[in-house]
Amino acid sequence: MASATRLSVRNIHKSFGTHEVLRGISLDAHDGDVISLLGASGSGKSTFLRCINLLEVADRGEIVVDGERIEMVTKNGRNVPASRKQVDRIRAELGMVFQSFNLWSHMTILDNVIEGPLHVLKRPRAECIAEAEALLEKVGIAEKRHAYPAHLSGGQQQRAAIARALAMKPKVMLFDEPTSALDPELVGEVLRVMRSLAEEGMTMLVVTHEMSFARNVSNRVIFMRSGEIDSDGTPEELFGKGGSPAFRQFIGTFGS
Amino acid sequence: MGIVETLGFGQTGWGGLLLMGALMTLCLTLTALLLGAVLGAVVAAAKLSQNRAARTAGGFYTTVFRGVPELLIIYLVYFGGSSALTAIGGYFGVEGFLGLPSFIAGALAVGLICGAYQAEVYRGAFLAIPKGELEAAQAIGMHRLLRFRRIIAPQVLRFAIPGIGNVWQLSLKDSALVSVTGLADLMRTSQVAAGSTRQYFLFFIAGGCLYLILTSMSDRLFALAERRASRSMPAGIGQI
């Protein structure tokens, strides 16, 4: 494939205390890739996602975002980023969507969406507002722009959170179990937004338990087990005959 | 002489002096609250810090200034401050006793005390911010100062308003203790008026009423601020 590598992760290790959560994970995401990360809870998939934008700092390994390597140094025996500035800049290029939405509760929906472009990217307010309104329209909650997060349903909040991340024009979107905190009837509206993003060619890494999304929307599925990549392939391969016994057992628990 | 004249604003009335006293009480408490806000913010940050020495120092401060009687702190600042000032004056060749002005000593003492209480209020308010909102701020690329300015400070203030209202009320009453240093606040003025007219009931009740007016008015102000700040809270739905 000739498309550019948006994200390259090499040999990530991470331990909490004596518990080794990630044991050498590597992954390349090319332009337009939609990669679903599957695995039982405790398999390390959320930690892996959080290591990419340094909400957790990996003990070892290399992260390259759109050709720029995150510089790390060893301080007091621990691996830490060499430059906070670089970390902030790279984070601004990675959109993150959390399981529990994490909208800023003291701001209206519109303020949440313009916050990043206005104060982090320092772009003109009028431009930020115009783009934010277009994004809110796109995720279907334009009429809620002056409401506060607490007054919205979970599905609406998550769509607002996606709009907030998109407002930064990220190179890669990271989704950390975006539908796991939602009531079943609200899952669909969020998945629809994610699906249309995928169709527009957004590069996405999605930690999820939604098998239908992994199977029908993503072009690559990675199954993690005990901090390692167990299986890696297209949905056709994995859900067809190529999956490992562990993967078969895992999807068996979902009844699919 | 009738009550109206005694409490009035005429030549023989004490009304003007009582109002001046009330104003002094208000000024002293306001100065102390502002000083305490700065101290409280610094101490709260120290207590929340990852640095063990800072945490210990912060803990020491809040333990001492909440655990020692207010009157003792006021004496300590007033007399201790004055003897320190005298010693410094002596070093520069100034003879005799130099007193710390009682307003400054009082504001400092009450400020130190209410700083300790405010520190706990701010610390609690910070802990009330959902951790995920701070992570979202990091994830979008906000640097530390921007996170503080845009996400932390506004939410700490919002969560702190009821607690600060409480501290304000306590400080307003603590300020009465500063009258022992001779500051002509509401307490001291009521006392002087009562003593020189021998109308103890009248003046202490009048003083009490003025204190009540000050506290209940400020209570309303804080309630108003709280209502404004909680527009974004779930409970605010019914208020629209």
Side-chain angles (χ1 to χ4, degrees):
Chain A
M1 267 207 287
S3 59
T5 308
R6 288 283 174 230
L7 175 71
S8 175
V9 183
R10 286 281 153 268
N11 201 25
I12 292 285
H13 285 259
K14 175 74 183 172
S15 299
F16 292 112
T18 56
H19 179 53
E20 199 175 11
V21 185
L22 299 176
R23 309 169 188 229
I25 306 273
S26 300
L27 164 99
D28 283 318
H30 301 280
D31 207 12
D33 270 353
V34 178
I35 303 175
S36 287
L37 288 160
L38 307 179
S41 58
S43 59
K45 54 200 192 307
S46 280
T47 305
F48 172 61
L49 205 67
R50 292 165 59 82
C51 281
I52 295 173
N53 67 355
L54 284 99
L55 287 180
E56 306 283 355
V57 180
D59 303 328
R60 249 186 311 145
E62 185 183 73
I63 295 162
V64 182
V65 177
D66 210 25
E68 184 179 357
R69 182 176 181 277
I70 303 180
E71 302 297 330
M72 304 297 286
V73 289
T74 307
K75 213 171 175 177
N76 301 327
R78 286 178 56 197
N79 195 35
V80 291
S83 152
R84 274 212 187 117
K85 269 210 165 116
Q86 192 199 22
V87 171
D88 289 337
R89 194 176 62 244
I90 293 216
R91 280 173 172 165
E93 297 176 355
L94 298 168
M96 177 93 167
V97 175
F98 298 87
Q99 181 176 349
S100 46
F101 332 133
N102 296 346
L103 291 169
W104 298 303
S105 54
H106 61 300
M107 296 182 190
T108 64
I109 296 304
L110 182 66
D111 287 339
N112 263 279
V113 179
I114 64 171
E115 183 69 17
L118 188 62
H119 292 284
V120 177
L121 303 180
K122 300 197 172 68
R123 296 180 44 215
R125 175 177 281 270
E127 248 177 72
C128 297
I129 292 178
E131 285 182 19
E133 288 186 332
L135 281 170
L136 289 173
E137 188 78 48
K138 182 173 158 182
V139 300
I141 47 169
E143 79 287 359
K144 296 283 183 191
R145 63 185 181 280
H146 296 305
Y148 286 96
H151 303 159
L152 265 58
S153 75
Q156 291 170 330
Q157 287 191 53
Q158 194 59 299
R159 287 185 280 152
I162 294 173
R164 171 175 71 176
L166 290 175
M168 297 293 285
K169 303 201 167 97
K171 293 180 171 148
V172 180
M173 284 284 282
L174 309 173
F175 292 85
D176 187 8
E177 301 202 25
T179 57
S180 298
L182 296 175
D183 291 335
E185 75 271 20
L186 302 176
V187 169
E189 59 192 62
V190 173
L191 288 181
R192 267 195 297 281
V193 169
M194 290 170 60
R195 183 178 199 131
S196 75
L197 271 184
E199 282 162 3
E200 286 167 26
M202 174 63 77
T203 311
M204 297 161 64
L205 238 66
V206 186
V207 170
T208 186
H209 290 297
E210 290 296 326
M211 289 304 141
S212 64
F213 182 89
R215 192 175 228 167
N216 303 323
V217 182
S218 50
N219 65 344
R220 188 169 157 202
V221 175
I222 290 177
F223 173 60
M224 284 180 65
R225 199 161 70 105
S226 337
E228 287 172 319
I229 293 181
D230 176 273
S231 323
D232 179 352
T234 64
E236 294 76 27
E237 285 165 6
L238 258 67
F239 286 95
K241 294 188 186 106
S244 70
F247 180 69
R248 293 183 174 287
Q249 197 185 357
F250 173 73
I251 55 171
T253 61
F254 286 84
S256 51
Chain B
M1 205 158 52
I3 290 179
V4 178
E5 269 173 71
T6 319
L7 288 178
F9 296 92
Q11 279 222 305
T12 52
W14 288 84
L17 283 172
L18 282 176
L19 280 186
M20 283 296 289
L23 197 66
M24 180 64 91
T25 290
L26 203 61
C27 284
L28 182 93
T29 313
L30 208 61
T31 312
L33 193 84
L34 291 178
L35 178 68
V38 176
L39 285 171
V42 172
V43 172
K47 285 188 88 164
L48 289 163
S49 132
Q50 289 178 356
N51 182 317
R52 185 197 290 256
R55 276 203 311 273
T56 311
F60 180 77
Y61 179 91
T62 49
T63 307
V64 168
F65 286 102
R66 289 187 309 155
V68 170
E70 283 89 347
L71 191 57
L72 192 146
I73 307 278
I74 290 167
Y75 277 139
L76 190 72
V77 171
Y78 183 62
F79 292 111
S82 294
S83 53
L85 205 62
T86 306
I88 294 169
Y91 183 78
F92 288 105
V94 181
E95 297 282 316
F97 179 79
L98 286 176
L100 194 61
S102 51
F103 182 87
I104 292 178
L108 202 61
V110 178
L112 282 167
I113 297 158
C114 85
Y117 286 100
Q118 285 190 65
E120 293 300 278
V121 171
Y122 294 138
R123 194 172 67 91
F126 176 82
L127 294 175
I129 304 176
K131 199 167 155 273
E133 291 188 29
L134 301 179
E135 276 192 348
Q138 280 180 296
I140 210 159
M142 287 191 186
H143 57 80
R144 209 184 258 214
L145 198 68
L146 191 59
R147 281 199 310 264
F148 179 79
R149 191 162 65 80
R150 300 291 307 165
I151 310 297
I152 298 175
Q155 298 215 60
V156 162
L157 283 181
R158 174 178 77 169
F159 291 129
I161 290 171
I164 297 299
N166 209 17
V167 171
W168 164 261
Q169 191 112 329
L170 288 173
S171 302
L172 199 78
K173 292 189 293 169
D174 280 353
S175 77
L177 294 168
V178 178
S179 64
V180 296
T181 65
L183 184 75
D185 73 334
L186 180 52
M187 183 70 217
R188 175 82 185 155
T189 312
S190 313
Q191 211 176 357
V192 169
S196 46
T197 59
R198 293 174 189 270
Q199 301 203 40
Y200 297 104
F201 261 121
L202 179 66
F203 279 104
F204 284 130
I205 287 173
C209 288
L210 282 170
Y211 271 111
L212 265 178
I213 290 171
L214 288 181
T215 50
S216 53
M217 272 180 4
S218 43
D219 235 16
R220 298 189 104 175
L221 230 71
F222 276 104
L224 197 76
E226 200 178 324
R227 230 186 3 260
R228 273 189 63 90
S230 61
R231 277 175 309 183
S232 61
M233 310 278 253
I237 294 173
Q239 291 170 4
I240 295 171

